[in-house]
């Protein structure tokens, strides 16, 4: 027998009653529609029972920003320790919040990308698109101290190009940075803090202080302004 629209609706209701996430139900609805589109195209069936079948609306979870006070507390935490790792962590957190760059862009930075005299950093975003980002104030100071005093002490033969190094002198990974940030976040009681939270906080604080949306879009490296609006 040919499956009817009522059969499909009953299946979706069953999923809802089983408390499946809306996103999961939406994916399964899309799969069902694609399958029946194929059956019609292949002339296995004459009519498509999914033509009037609506997909559930999926709510988008908006990222949350932390307050400027919480950012200040986070940026001060590395100063409670000494050694090259503390200088590195301070520079990384300052740079991430000062520029809003992605963590993947942060760990991919080379030493040559930093121009302290011009107070600018060059990074490559999605699609390998390069953009220059301004750095000022405490971010410049933190980078100067890390480059002058901390970086050379990380590892016996540090990577000559990578800006941020782990304790073995190799380029720090995204996972490595995430673990570092997680440690600081737990000390502040911000267990849901992620690298993207700092990026979102950078954008939110800029907009709250009068920056226009197009400028923030360029700094974040968003291809679409609708992404920045979200």
């Amino acid at each position: 027998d040919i499956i009817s629209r009522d059969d499909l609706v009953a299946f979706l209701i069953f999923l809802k009653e089983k408390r499946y996430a809306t996103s999961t139900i939406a994916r399964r609805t899309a799969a069902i529609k694609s399958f029946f589109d194929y059956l019609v195209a292949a002339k296995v069936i004459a009519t498509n029972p999914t033509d009037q079948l609506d997909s559930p609306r999926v709510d988008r979870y908006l990222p949350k920003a932390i307050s400027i006070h919480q950012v200040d507390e986070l940026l001060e935490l590395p100063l409670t320790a000494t050694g090259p790792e503390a200088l590195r962590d301070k520079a990384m957190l300052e740079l991430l919040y000062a520029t809003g760059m992605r963590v993947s862009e942060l760990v991919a930075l080379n030493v040559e990308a930093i121009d302290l005299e011009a107070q600018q950093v060059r990074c490559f975003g999605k699609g390998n698109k390069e953009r220059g980002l301004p750095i000022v104030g405490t971010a410049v100071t933190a980078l100067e101290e890390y480059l002058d005093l901390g970086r050379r002490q990380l590892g016996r033969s540090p990577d000559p190009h990578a800006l941020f190094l782990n304790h073995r002198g190799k380029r720090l990974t995204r996972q490595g940075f995430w673990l570092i940030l997680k440690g600081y976040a737990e000390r502040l009681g911000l267990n849901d803090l992620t690298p993207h939270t700092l990026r979102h906080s950078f954008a939110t604080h800029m907009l709250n202080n009068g920056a226009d949306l197009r400028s923030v879009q360029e700094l974040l490296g968003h291809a679409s302004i609708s992404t920045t609006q979200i």
Side-chain angles (χ1 to χ4, degrees):
D1 293 338
I2 296 177
I3 294 176
S4 69
R5 179 180 180 279
D6 289 342
D7 295 325
L8 297 175
V9 170
F11 173 65
L12 297 179
I13 291 173
F14 166 79
L15 294 179
K16 189 171 183 180
E17 289 175 343
K18 289 293 183 180
R19 298 185 180 278
Y20 280 83
T22 305
S23 57
T24 300
I25 298 174
R27 284 195 302 271
R28 295 193 177 184
T29 303
I32 291 170
K33 286 187 172 185
S34 294
F35 177 62
F36 279 98
D37 284 343
Y38 162 75
L39 292 180
V40 171
K43 298 183 179 179
V44 176
I45 58 176
T47 58
N48 191 336
T50 69
D51 279 344
Q52 304 300 319
L53 191 67
D54 295 327
S55 296
R57 182 174 179 177
V58 180
D59 294 330
R60 298 196 67 165
Y61 294 96
L62 300 180
K64 295 181 180 179
I66 58 176
S67 69
I68 293 177
H69 175 69
Q70 289 172 317
V71 170
D72 289 340
E73 287 187 320
L74 176 66
L75 297 181
E76 291 300 310
L77 276 182
L79 299 179
T80 61
T82 58
E85 286 90 354
L87 293 175
R88 177 203 61 198
D89 295 353
K90 173 69 170 173
M92 288 193 302
L93 294 174
E94 287 278 2
L95 186 58
L96 199 63
Y97 178 65
T99 62
M101 67 173 61
R102 302 175 179 91
V103 66
S104 58
E105 297 167 346
L106 179 81
V107 298
L109 289 175
N110 288 331
V111 176
E112 306 84 54
I114 301 293
D115 187 339
L116 292 176
E117 186 175 343
Q119 297 191 339
Q120 187 180 66
V121 57
R122 300 189 322 278
C123 73
F124 291 87
K126 293 183 178 180
N128 207 34
K129 292 182 179 179
E130 182 180 4
R131 68 187 189 280
L133 302 172
I135 47 175
V136 295
T138 54
V140 173
T141 303
L143 283 165
E144 286 177 337
E145 293 180 349
Y146 168 64
L147 289 170
D148 291 343
L149 304 173
R151 186 179 175 278
R152 68 186 67 177
Q153 298 180 44
L154 290 168
R156 294 182 179 179
S157 54
D159 185 320
H161 299 293
L163 176 60
F164 294 115
L165 307 174
N166 60 26
H167 66 279
R168 297 186 302 275
K170 306 299 182 183
R171 185 183 295 276
L172 190 72
T173 64
R174 291 178 61 181
Q175 292 81 2
F177 176 82
W178 187 88
L179 288 173
I180 291 168
L181 179 63
K182 183 180 179 182
Y184 288 125
E186 288 176 348
R187 289 170 61 182
L188 292 176
L190 300 173
N191 295 325
D192 57 349
L193 181 68
T194 68
H196 187 74
T197 305
L198 285 180
R199 178 170 161 84
H200 180 67
S201 300
F202 157 83
T204 301
H205 297 164
M206 282 202 67
L207 290 169
N208 288 346
N209 282 286
D212 65 272
L213 198 62
R214 287 289 182 186
S215 298
V216 175
Q217 177 192 1
E218 292 177 5
L219 291 171
L220 293 176
H222 285 158
S224 170
I225 197 166
S226 62
T227 305
T228 315
Q229 288 172 324
I230 293 170

